Amino acid sequence: MSTVLYVGGLGRSGSTLLDRMLGRLDDVWSVGELVHLWERGLKENNRCGCGRCFADCPFWRRVGEVAFGGWDTLDTDEVLALKESVDRNRYVPLMLAPRLSRTYRARLERYLALLERLYAAVPEVSGRSLVVDASKHASSAFLIRRIGGVDLRLVHLVRDSRGVAFSWTKRMRRAEVVSGDALMATDTPLKMSARYLAYNLLFHLLRTLGVRGLLLRYESLVRD
């Protein structure tokens, strides 16, 4: 049984800061935003937190070998299509009751099998007892909850909605992109208001379902 501490909340809420702080602790291994591994790691070969490109990172190379016998055994486009058909907030009701759709249940089982091997390989390769996943996405947390062999814990990170909305209007470069200049996504305050409510409600729901965790306010974290 491996323990995964999931940092959940809306983007631009301070998750990168919290993730890096936790990653400095003994017996803790941070994997950043694991939800993006298939696209930004395997497909785009972006930089890892160590500074190397994903394909050149010794840690991720070893994880791929332990989990799948090597990353080249996977069809990246197929995995991404499978993820897209399963891991969305709109599918949370089906995650809670997969028997409502045979098609969704079949896809869910296939994707969970991949995630189970991935989340088992990380602590084996790192040798650390606690894995921090700062993916933030609510739907991904609901998926991890269903993985056998994973003890999911939650840090529900909440930042003042005005700060979040303002941050989403700023044009900022994605430092992990190697070739060319790629910018982080932007959005309007109105749309972010709806997402802010939806994400935070889903994480409250996750805790009512029995996932142990705590609510952490970004402003308190910075002050402390």
Side-chain angles (χ1 to χ4, degrees):
M1 177 72 72
S2 60
T3 302
V4 174
L5 179 63
Y6 192 90
V7 179
L10 191 57
R12 318 291 174 84
S13 294
S15 59
T16 301
L17 174 64
L18 176 60
D19 179 36
R20 293 188 177 185
M21 292 169 67
L22 292 172
R24 299 285 293 179
L25 301 175
D26 295 336
D27 297 325
V28 173
W29 190 266
S30 168
V31 292
E33 300 177 357
L34 202 62
V35 68
H36 297 306
L37 179 141
W38 313 117
E39 180 178 8
R40 299 181 184 178
L42 279 183
K43 187 170 184 176
E44 299 178 356
N45 197 31
N46 288 337
R47 286 192 185 95
C48 168
C50 70
R52 295 186 175 98
C53 291
F54 181 85
D56 299 325
C57 173
F59 172 76
W60 286 117
R61 186 185 303 119
R62 182 59 182 152
V63 168
E65 292 170 353
V66 171
F68 308 109
W71 295 113
D72 57 354
T73 64
L74 298 176
D75 184 326
T76 305
D77 290 334
E78 182 180 340
V79 173
L80 282 170
L82 181 61
K83 175 184 178 297
E84 186 71 13
S85 70
V86 172
D87 188 3
R88 303 291 294 274
N89 284 348
R90 69 182 70 148
Y91 297 137
V92 167
L94 288 176
M95 294 179 199
L96 298 176
R99 293 184 179 181
L100 295 176
S101 170
R102 288 185 179 181
T103 301
Y104 180 83
R105 182 173 61 183
R107 293 171 180 167
L108 176 66
E109 290 173 353
R110 286 172 55 202
Y111 190 58
L112 287 178
L114 292 174
L115 290 183
E116 184 172 0
R117 294 165 71 176
L118 180 61
Y119 279 95
V122 169
E124 180 178 339
V125 175
S126 67
R128 305 292 175 86
S129 58
L130 178 64
V131 175
V132 177
D133 182 351
S135 292
K136 297 186 293 295
H137 294 200
S139 58
S140 297
F142 278 85
L143 284 178
I144 298 171
R145 171 178 172 265
R146 299 186 63 90
I147 299 176
V150 169
D151 179 14
L152 178 63
R153 310 294 178 90
L154 173 68
V155 175
H156 180 186
L157 184 63
V158 178
R159 180 184 178 187
D160 187 307
S161 58
R162 295 166 296 182
V164 174
F166 175 70
S167 183
W168 273 90
T169 65
K170 296 165 64 178
R171 295 172 63 85
M172 296 182 289
R173 186 179 181 277
R174 287 174 52 194
E176 77 277 9
V177 176
V178 178
S179 57
D181 290 329
L183 299 177
M184 293 183 179
T186 58
D187 219 328
T188 64
L190 181 60
K191 289 183 179 179
M192 293 317 302
S193 297
R195 290 184 64 190
Y196 185 93
L197 292 173
Y199 265 61
N200 287 312
L201 284 171
L202 285 171
F203 281 115
H204 282 301
L205 172 61
L206 193 62
R207 292 179 64 191
T208 64
L209 293 173
V211 175
R212 287 187 286 177
L214 55 85
L215 178 69
L216 177 64
R217 297 193 178 279
Y218 169 74
E219 291 77 14
S220 299
L221 173 67
V222 174
R223 183 177 62 247
D224 293 343

